[in-house]
Amino acid sequence: MIKTPIERGSLLLHGWQNRRPAGHWQHWLADRLTDLGHQVSYPQLPDPDHPDLEQWLAELHRHLAALPGQDRTVICHSLACLLWLHAAARQVLPIPVDRVLLVAPPSTSFVVQHAEIAAFAAPPVTAEQLSAAAKDTRIVAGDNDPCCPEGAAVHYGRPLGLRTDVLPGAGHLDLEAGYGPWPSLLDWCRSPSRDPAIACRPGRAEDPRP
């Protein structure tokens, strides 16, 4: 009996003030996954400079409901991580998700300093609610992220029981920090296992296509 390959769908969600620049790792990742035959959705969320939580939640619901594939991955960067926490806390996700990666989630202390995004401050959410939203949720963050001075492992990982990969000198894991092509994240997306480590980008600016 010939087994049909599992179709993989990926939803990539950006953060505050992000208009999906071509050099950003999410743009790079979306292109590479598409080349590999994944079904990829990388939407521009409305009004990224002055985002509205309810509007972004509606967009998350819409794009996730439309995501094809038997194996679904959601990869959030920055403010989108808090968007996911709100969705999980409200239990309003339309379909099951296999893996969620929260990249550089900003802390409450940072978010509330900015009126444009204060409404996104992390809600009360439990490990059980996150488990109901996705089979596996994981965090990757820099050890010197100016948007999470407390550290993502301390602020989110430990309280919620989430595996957290802390990358040295990676900042907010954005273009300013050099992210950019990120091969180990592509490897994680391609792996059938949930265990591969996610490492810093290579020090060189090479961009090998798999």
Side-chain angles (χ1 to χ4, degrees), residues 13 15 25 76-85 100-111 117 120-122 137-158 160 162-166 171-174 182:
L13 298 168
W25 63 264
C76 303
H77 180 238
S78 191
L79 195 66
C81 299
L82 305 188
L83 175 68
W84 182 263
L85 296 184
V100 171
L101 186 65
L102 305 177
V103 181
S107 68
T108 300
S109 67
F110 174 84
V111 171
I117 57 173
F120 283 77
T137 302
R138 183 168 168 181
I139 298 171
V140 60
D143 65 355
N144 60 337
D145 187 347
C147 301
C148 190
E150 302 89 342
V154 171
H155 198 67
Y156 294 110
R158 293 173 195 166
L160 294 171
L162 301 179
R163 174 174 174 178
T164 304
D165 294 83
V166 179
H172 194 50
L173 289 160
D174 52 13
W182 194 356

